[in-house]
């Protein structure tokens, strides 16, 4: 768990995180960064060490940038996409195109002197926001089943058990589409952000996620409880979770 004050914008950011290999995998192919102002989860694909390499390169690229340790950076989606292109090139070079990774998360940036969440996503890891008593899924999965839902061919409920639900349509390090989607959302005191790999959302429904996020005030406790809920539900994949809270500097 980390706690940091963000000078100049009168906010305090605290976070918790947890990651588990799950009950059926031999290796944890997830990687994460939870260092103000960047919070992101990468879910590697490729099996055994290849997926681990892809996700770790992706996260290391973000950590080696100017972001970590710079509260409220001014950053636009174009600069962030350039970082993701760099990560993609490094993954392809090191793995020969045999591995890839999803990536989802947020950077707490400033825009015209005000705090914003710059949310980004490639693949089917997710970022949510709990705000004013409601849980919102910000990101949209890049997956075959999401496309089927969008076209009206299956329902969201059917997507949960569809045989192609694990097939992603965008990833870093593999395939032809590495473009991220971006959202710029005003950050407010009381916001709680959840970033997670699909090892959580494939086991735990939104209602239970909401209950745990609203019942556990400490972000580390919430992170660990979410991982444990996924394990109790079967833990069929690696599970990684970051929970980020925003409070007033005097709170």
């Amino acid at each position: 768990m980390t706690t940091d004050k963000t000078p100049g914008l009168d906010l305090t950011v605290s976070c918790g995180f947890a990651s588990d290999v799950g009950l059926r995998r031999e290796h944890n192919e997830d990687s994460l960064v939870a260092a103000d102002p960047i919070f992101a989860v990468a879910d590697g694909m490729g099996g055994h060490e290849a997926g681990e390499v892809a996700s770790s390169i992706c996260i290391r690229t973000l950590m080696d940038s100017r972001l970590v340790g710079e509260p409220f950076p001014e950053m636009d989606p174009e600069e962030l996409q350039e970082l993701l292109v760099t990560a993609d090139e490094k993954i392809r070079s090191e793995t020969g195109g045999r591995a890839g990774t999803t990536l989802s998360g947020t950077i707490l940036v400033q825009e015209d002197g005000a705090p914003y969440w710059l949310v980004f996503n490639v693949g089917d890891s997710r970022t949510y926001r709990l705000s004013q008593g409601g849980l919102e899924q910000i990101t949209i999965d890049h997956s075959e089943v999401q496309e089927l839902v969008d076209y009206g061919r299956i329902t969201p409920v059917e997507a949960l058990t569809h045989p192609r639900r694990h097939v992603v349509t965008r990833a870093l390090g593999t395939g032809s589409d590495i473009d991220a989607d971006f959202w710029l959302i005003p950050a407010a005191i009381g916001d709680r952000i959840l970033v997670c790999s699909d090892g959580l959302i494939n086991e735990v429904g939104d209602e239970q996620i909401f209950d745990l996020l609203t019942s556990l005030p400490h972000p580390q406790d919430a992170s660990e409880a979410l991982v444990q809920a996924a394990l109790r539900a079967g833990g069929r994949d690696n599970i990684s979770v970051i929970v980020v809270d925003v409070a007033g500097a005097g709170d």
Side-chain angles (χ1 to χ4, degrees):
M1 190 274 290
T2 61
T3 302
D4 296 293
K5 289 187 177 180
T6 50
L9 292 172
D10 203 31
L11 296 178
T12 298
V13 178
S14 60
C15 80
F17 56 87
S19 186
D20 195 281
V21 68
L23 302 178
R24 300 191 184 181
R25 300 293 181 94
E26 295 182 0
H27 302 275
N28 192 342
E29 297 182 75
D30 291 352
S31 300
L32 61 83
V33 55
D36 188 26
I38 184 167
F39 308 92
V41 169
D43 181 354
M45 305 172 292
H48 301 294
E49 295 182 2
E52 297 173 39
V53 169
S55 66
S56 64
I57 289 174
C58 178
I59 293 300
R60 190 165 63 247
T61 301
L62 294 174
M63 294 180 68
D64 289 344
S65 72
R66 68 178 181 87
L67 292 170
V68 175
E70 182 183 346
F72 288 105
E74 293 184 348
M75 168 170 273
D76 57 31
E78 289 76 15
E79 182 181 352
L80 182 52
Q81 181 64 45
E82 290 177 5
L83 274 178
L84 302 188
V85 169
T86 299
D88 173 77
E89 292 170 348
K90 290 179 178 178
I91 294 168
R92 292 176 192 268
S93 175
E94 189 153 339
T95 68
R98 295 179 294 104
T101 186
T102 69
L103 177 69
S104 192
T106 188
I107 305 170
L108 191 55
V109 300
Q110 61 173 305
E111 183 80 13
D112 296 327
Y116 281 80
W117 300 111
L118 176 56
V119 178
F120 51 93
N121 188 69
V122 182
D124 62 353
S125 293
R126 289 184 183 174
T127 299
Y128 294 79
R129 180 174 65 157
L130 181 69
S131 180
Q132 299 180 343
L135 181 65
E136 173 193 11
Q137 179 185 328
I138 300 173
T139 57
I140 301 170
D141 296 349
H142 299 135
S143 66
E144 286 194 2
V145 294
Q146 183 62 52
E147 291 182 353
L148 292 173
V149 170
D150 292 343
Y151 293 140
R153 295 178 182 172
I154 63 173
T155 67
V157 173
E158 291 171 332
L160 296 174
T161 56
H162 195 279
R164 301 283 289 177
R165 65 188 180 276
H166 299 300
V167 180
V168 298
T169 54
R170 295 189 204 178
L172 300 178
T174 186
S176 59
D177 194 345
I178 65 167
D179 288 340
D181 289 336
F182 298 98
W183 298 260
L184 192 62
I185 301 169
I189 292 172
D191 280 355
R192 169 166 276 194
I193 297 291
L194 167 65
V195 186
C196 61
S197 61
D198 67 343
L200 174 70
I201 55 183
N202 287 336
E203 304 288 8
V204 184
D206 285 359
E207 184 175 344
Q208 187 177 5
I209 290 173
F210 174 82
D211 289 343
L212 290 171
L213 289 176
T214 53
S215 64
L216 295 167
H218 197 291
Q220 185 63 35
D221 292 341
S223 299
E224 293 173 359
L226 287 164
V227 169
Q228 289 303 312
L231 291 171
R232 288 193 298 272
R236 291 167 289 180
D237 199 352
N238 308 146
I239 310 146
S240 294
V241 171
I242 304 172
V243 176
V244 188
D245 288 346
V246 174
D251 295 345

